[in-house]
Every structure is written in C-alpha cells, then in structure tokens.
Amino acid sequence: MNKLVEEDLKYIWHPCSQMKDYETLPPIVIDHAKGSYLYDIDGNEYIDIISSWWCNLLGHCNPVINAAIKKQLDTLEHVIFANLSHKPAIELCQQLIKVIPKGLVKFNFADNGSSAVECALKMAFQYHSQTGNTERTRFMCLSEGYHGETIGALSVGSMDLYAKIYKPMLMDTIHIQAPDCYRCPYGCTRDNCKCECFENAEKDFARYGEKTAAIIIEPLLQGSAGMRIYPALYLKKLRELCNKTGVLLIADEIATGFGRTGKMFACDHAKISPDIMCISKGLTGGYMPMSMTLTTQKIYDAFYADYNEGRAFMHSHTYSGNPLGCSAALAVQKILQEDKVLERAQGTAKYLNTKLCEKLNEHKNVGEIRHIGLINAIELVKNKDSKEAFDPKLRIGYEIYKRALKKGLLLRPLGDVLYFNPALNIKESTLDTAIDRCLASMDEILK
C-alpha cells in the first residue's frame, strides 16, 4: 500500500463513507486534474463524469478561474463582511442580478450549501414573526428530498440514509409525497402527465398551510433521491398554491443552478420565481466553498429597522463574502456569458442522451434513462417490466462503481442509479469514452 494512502487511513475520516469499505477499496490519492480528467499519484487517469459532487461546472484547473483567484490573492484574501465590503462581492451581485429569477434582489453570503439552507429557513421563520404571522412556525418539504447535513437542513430532508439516526434532534416538519415519474402511482407517463400527484400538496396545504412558514424544494430534480426528475408544471402549481396560502417558496438550486438543467436555473423551466433561493456548488465553478441565499425586497424590508428594535438578521459566517470565492464566481459568470457555454451545452446534452439511449435503452437491467440538461440518470432494476428493484444488500451500483474506477471512470452511484453530471464544457469524445467505460463496467456485474 502506498505510504500516502496509509497516512490517509491513519488520520482521515472521509465524508459520506463507511470507512470499513476502505479495507478493500482504499482511497485514491489524486495528484492533479485538468478539464474533465483526474490523475492519481500512480499516473492513472479518471474521467470525472460527476463533476466532483456536482460542483465542478467548467472543468478542473480552468485557466480563466485560476487567473482570477491568483490575481485576487495578491490584493485581498479575506475581510470581515459585517460593515465592511469589497469590490468582488459588489460586482458579483451586479452580475448575478442579470441572470437570477426576477424579483430576487438581495444577496446573503455564506460558505456552503447547508449553510445557505439554514439561512433560508431562519429568514423565512423570522420574516413571518416580524410581520405578525407568529403562528407560522413549521416547514414543508417533499419526500425523498435532500437539502444538506446540518440539523435544520436534515429536518427538511426526507432521506433516512442521512437523517434517521438524528430524528430525536430534528424539527417536526411536514413531508409532502413527492412526484415519482418513473413509478407513478397514478399510472401516468412523462408524456401524458398532468401532475395528478399535486393533490398530495393541496391536501397538506389545506391541513397545515396556515401554520407553515415556507416549503423548500429541489426544483425539477431531486438529486440524492436518484436524480428523480419531475415536470415544470408541478413548480407552476406550487408557486400558485404558495401565493394563495401565504406560504413562502424556497428553491434549493444548489445542485440545479448555473446551467445544470439546461437553463441557468431550474426555476426558469417553469418561468417562476421563488421567495428565497439557495445557490452554491457551480457558483464558484467548484473552486471555493461559497453559497448565497437570495430573497425579495419584501422579505428584506421586514428586517429593516433601527438596531435596537431587534429585527436584524443575526445570522453570520466567518467566511461570508470571501473575496477569493467572489472572484472565482465572477470568473464563472464571465465564462458563461462570453463563451456561450449554456448554448453549446444544449447540443452536448442532446448528444449525450442520444448516445446513452442508443447503447443502454435495450439493456435488460436498465429501467429508465431520464435526463434534464446534461444530467442523465440510468436506473438499474432487477426486472425491466415490473420495475422491481435489486436487493439493496447486493449493492449493485457500488459494485459497478468499483469496476468503473479500474477502467478510469468516476461514477459514484446513488444506490442503483448511475448518473452522468459532467462539466458543461465536456468534450463529446470524452463522453464517448465515459459511456463505453460505464457499459463495460455494467456488463461485468450484470452478467
């Protein structure tokens, strides 16, 4: 075993891992990266088809982003963001206001996605408290949702894998049955769906709406649930229902923002604007830990008063508005706007889905290939006709993941859902290689 690997296992507790697995699959020490490729200390190459936890938006070591951070590093690396500001933060807001959903005008900075969600929940709660709606103390969310790992974020998530052990610590939230378009209980397909399942939201809003501060959702794409994709119509109906009941709508665009779904934000597909929106991951191109919670003038105004009135939003993070992160985010916006990345990514997205369908649609264990933008999810099933899932104890996805690593492909499935979520500027030739490596890995396990 390599000395660096030994030292890693001696000291490091890796995230979202059962460390006992590392006895047979030790950590791979990455030495450097370029574009969509990672290279380990032994010189092995891996295609990063998942964008390193969905955040690497424009490829590793992007020269434009690199240059922006290097330049900023010699000017200002960090400063307290309370009563002080700096040019990169101001310019970033000026750029983002051009592309975010209309009506969002105020930016609160934090340093990771979970923090942005916590900020949004507290903001919604305090807003109602300060506008005479003190009975609105609860939160709604969708089943199978995921919004981060802090206590508030776990409370509005519905994935037992992450939250079950902590339930005694969590808030009592209202979990609405989410759309499941692959296994639709109404017998609908993606072609004829009219969001019949929205009746679940209507029932829960009728019962709990008057006591609810906000509902938080992953718009159009429930990521950790297995890249579950649902219609834009659902978002439109939800926006209308929130308007009618006074419940605030929080859009968690941490994973879906900045072109991941084919538009700048997932909310754009439904042509709706949330009351609060959380962004992170692609915000800095995956370079720097940074997030934002965006909101409306109306919500902001509820906090605007003399300090001794006690209406200030006393929520802060040491690295709020970090200049290095802001500079990286500015570089991302520059690339997106000047290089027409989103336009070109639409063509790449069509190419990827076409190739995946050509090679995998008839596979006996591929239940569905669903996609939105460049994100493609391959749901593996034991029986294609009945949609019966594999026994979780078999860990089919994990076994394919291990084989793929040996072939130079970083997959990291969600259960038995394999997914491609590459950088927006990935080359078609790289996608071809990734598909071939994925299929070869599947064939070795699903004999």
Side-chain angles (χ1 to χ4, degrees), residues 23 34 45-46 55 58 84 109 125 142 158 179 192 215 251 305 322-323 330 332 346 391 398 404-405 411 440:
E23 292 177 4
K34 184 65 178 177
E45 168 196 284
Y46 307 88
C55 65
L58 298 166
L84 298 177
F109 289 75
F125 182 94
L142 295 182
S158 296
N192 64 17
I215 179 170
N322 177 263
L330 274 169
V332 168
Q346 290 176 359
D391 183 342
Y398 179 68
L405 283 175
L411 276 175

Side-chain angles (χ1 to χ4, degrees), residues 99 139 187 204 246 328 345-346 400:
V99 298
F139 291 93
D204 284 332
Q346 290 176 359
I400 293 172

Side-chain angles (χ1 to χ4, degrees), residues 1-14 19 22 26-29 41:
M1 184 180 291
N2 182 283
K3 182 64 175 176
L4 281 174
V5 174
E6 291 179 357
E7 292 298 296
D8 174 288
L9 293 173
K10 181 178 178 181
Y11 296 111
I12 298 176
W13 191 345
H14 287 269
M19 293 301 295
Y22 285 43
I28 298 168
V29 181
I41 54 176

